[in-house]
Amino acid sequence: MTVLGDVPAPKQAKTSTLALENRPKTWGELVGQPIPVTVLVNSLALGDIKPGYVFTGTTGTGKTSAAILLAKRLNCEAPNLVTQDPCNVCHSCLTVDRGTNFDVKFVDGAADRSIEFVRSTLKPFLTTAPRGKCRVVIIDEAHQYGKDAISAFLTLLENMPRFAGKSVVIMTTTEGDKMASAILNRCMNLHFSAIPNDMLADKMAVYTGEDRAALALLAQESGNSFRTMWSYIEVWQHLGEPLTNDVVMKLIGGVGESERKAMWSDLSNKKVDRIGDRWRKWLQTGARPEVIGALLIRDLISWAAAVPATMDWHKPLVMLSGAEQVGSDNAWLQALYLMVGL
C-alpha cells in the first residue's frame, strides 16, 4: 500500500475537483446529449438567441456545462463560426471559466431565491448594457424559486432589454416538474438525458487507462452521472490500487458479488449466526447499509427475471424494500433475519 510519506509533495496545492478540471470546453465534448447540443449549436448559427432557457435533467448530465458553454460562446471574442465553439483562450472565455467575468453571473437558486434578490440584483444586472457582448445569468436549481420571486422573474423576462448583444437567463434544475409552467412557457426548454453507462465508461477509460469492465461497473453505480463518477475517480486516484470490481465496491461503500453470494448462501441454509457476523463485518470495513441493501435488492430482481418460476421472489423483495424505506442498519439486518424463515 502506498503511504502518504512515499508521495512527493505537489509543487502547488490543488484547489479544484476533477469534475471542474474536465468540464467540456466544446460542444463536441458534451457527451450523451445530442438533442440539446444540436438545438443550441443551430440556434447560435442562426443568431436565434432566446432571453430564457431551462435545462432539466438529473445530476451530472451536463446542464451546467452547457450553460457555461453557451455563456462563453455568447461572449467569446473569437468564436468558431462553424462549430459554434468558444475559443477558450480569449479574456472573456478565461474569466467565465474562473467565475470572474463581469457579464456572467452564477446564482444558487437554493440560496438566492427571494423577490428582493430578483429585484435588487438580477434586474439591475440584466437591464444594464454589457461590457462585452452579452449579459448572462446562470441559475442553478431554479425550481426552488417561490411564487413572489417567480412573479418578479416573469416580469423581468418579459421586459428584457435588446442591446447590441442580449441579456440571457439560463436556468438549470434537477426537478423540472417543479418549475412554474409560466416560466417554462416563456423559455426554451431542453432536457438532458441520463448518460448511457458505456459512454461514461469510454470517457473514463481514455482518462484513466484502467480496466473497462471495472469502469463500466463504476459508471452503473454512479447513476449515469459524470459528476458522481469524477468524484469516485478522484478518490480512487489516492487509493494507490488498480481499478477492479472489488475496488469499485470499496469506493461506493458496497460489497462484491462473491461476498453477496455467500450471504445468499447463508440465508438459503438458514445460518443465522453467519448472517449477522457477515453483516457486521461489512459495516466494520466501511460498507454502507443502504448501498449493501440496494445491491441485494438488485440481485433479487436479476435472479427473479432470469428464473421467475424457481421461488416466490415477492416476499423477500417486500422485506428488503421495507428496510430500504426505514433506512436504518437494524432494519436491513432484521429483514435478512426474517428472510431466513421463508
Side-chain angles (χ1 to χ4, degrees), residues 24 30-31 33 55 58-67 192 195 226:
L30 198 63
V31 176
Q33 305 300 342
F55 296 167
T58 55
T59 298
T61 52
K63 302 182 300 297
T64 302
S65 293
F192 286 67
I195 301 170
F226 258 124

Side-chain angles (χ1 to χ4, degrees), residues 260-327:
R260 300 199 307 275
K261 283 183 176 179
M263 173 67 88
W264 288 117
S265 176
D266 291 341
L267 284 165
S268 176
N269 294 314
K270 304 185 185 302
K271 296 179 179 179
V272 178
D273 291 341
R274 285 193 183 182
I275 293 168
D277 290 343
R278 194 179 299 278
W279 180 264
R280 284 183 285 273
K281 178 185 174 183
W282 287 347
L283 298 190
Q284 288 169 2
T285 56
R288 292 156 46 202
E290 69 275 13
V291 177
I292 303 171
L295 290 167
L296 293 174
I297 290 173
R298 189 188 302 169
D299 289 341
L300 276 177
I301 293 173
S302 176
W303 296 333
V307 283
T310 56
M311 67 171 283
D312 181 3
W313 301 99
H314 179 70
K315 290 181 180 179
L317 277 173
V318 167
M319 289 178 180
L320 288 177
S321 297
E324 186 175 37
Q325 291 179 356
V326 175

Side-chain angles (χ1 to χ4, degrees), residues 167-280:
S167 292
V168 175
V169 178
I170 308 170
M171 292 165 274
T172 69
T173 176
T174 54
E175 300 186 53
D177 57 321
K178 293 185 179 179
M179 288 290 292
S181 58
I183 289 212
L184 295 175
N185 293 338
R186 289 164 173 79
C187 298
M188 174 178 279
N189 305 296
L190 294 174
H191 181 69
F192 286 67
S193 304
I195 301 170
N197 290 336
D198 59 340
M199 287 188 180
L200 278 171
D202 288 343
K203 176 78 172 180
M204 295 305 174
V206 172
Y207 178 81
T208 65
E210 291 293 312
D211 177 59
R212 178 64 169 67
L215 286 166
L217 177 61
L218 184 58
Q220 178 182 352
E221 301 303 334
S222 297
N224 306 99
S225 166
F226 258 124
R227 186 183 305 168
T228 303
M229 194 161 184
W230 278 122
S231 296
Y232 284 137
I233 291 294
E234 195 151 28
V235 174
W236 162 75
Q237 286 183 332
H238 295 281
L239 283 178
E241 303 177 31
L243 190 66
T244 63
N245 285 2
D246 287 340
V247 170
V248 169
M249 286 295 117
K250 188 186 298 184
L251 288 171
I252 69 169
V255 292
E257 185 178 6
S258 61
E259 284 284 315
R260 300 199 307 275
K261 283 183 176 179
M263 173 67 88
W264 288 117
S265 176
D266 291 341
L267 284 165
S268 176
N269 294 314
K270 304 185 185 302
K271 296 179 179 179
V272 178
D273 291 341
R274 285 193 183 182
I275 293 168
D277 290 343
R278 194 179 299 278
W279 180 264
R280 284 183 285 273

Side-chain angles (χ1 to χ4, degrees), residues 29-65:
E29 293 177 3
L30 198 63
V31 176
Q33 305 300 342
I35 293 177
V37 167
T38 300
V39 169
L40 291 170
V41 168
N42 288 344
S43 297
L44 287 164
L46 294 170
D48 183 17
I49 310 304
K50 308 301 182 186
Y53 294 84
V54 176
F55 296 167
T56 62
T58 55
T59 298
T61 52
K63 302 182 300 297
T64 302
S65 293

Side-chain angles (χ1 to χ4, degrees), residues 14-25:
K14 184 178 176 181
T15 57
S16 64
T17 64
L18 284 179
L20 293 178
E21 290 175 5
N22 292 277
R23 195 183 286 284
K25 300 289 187 182

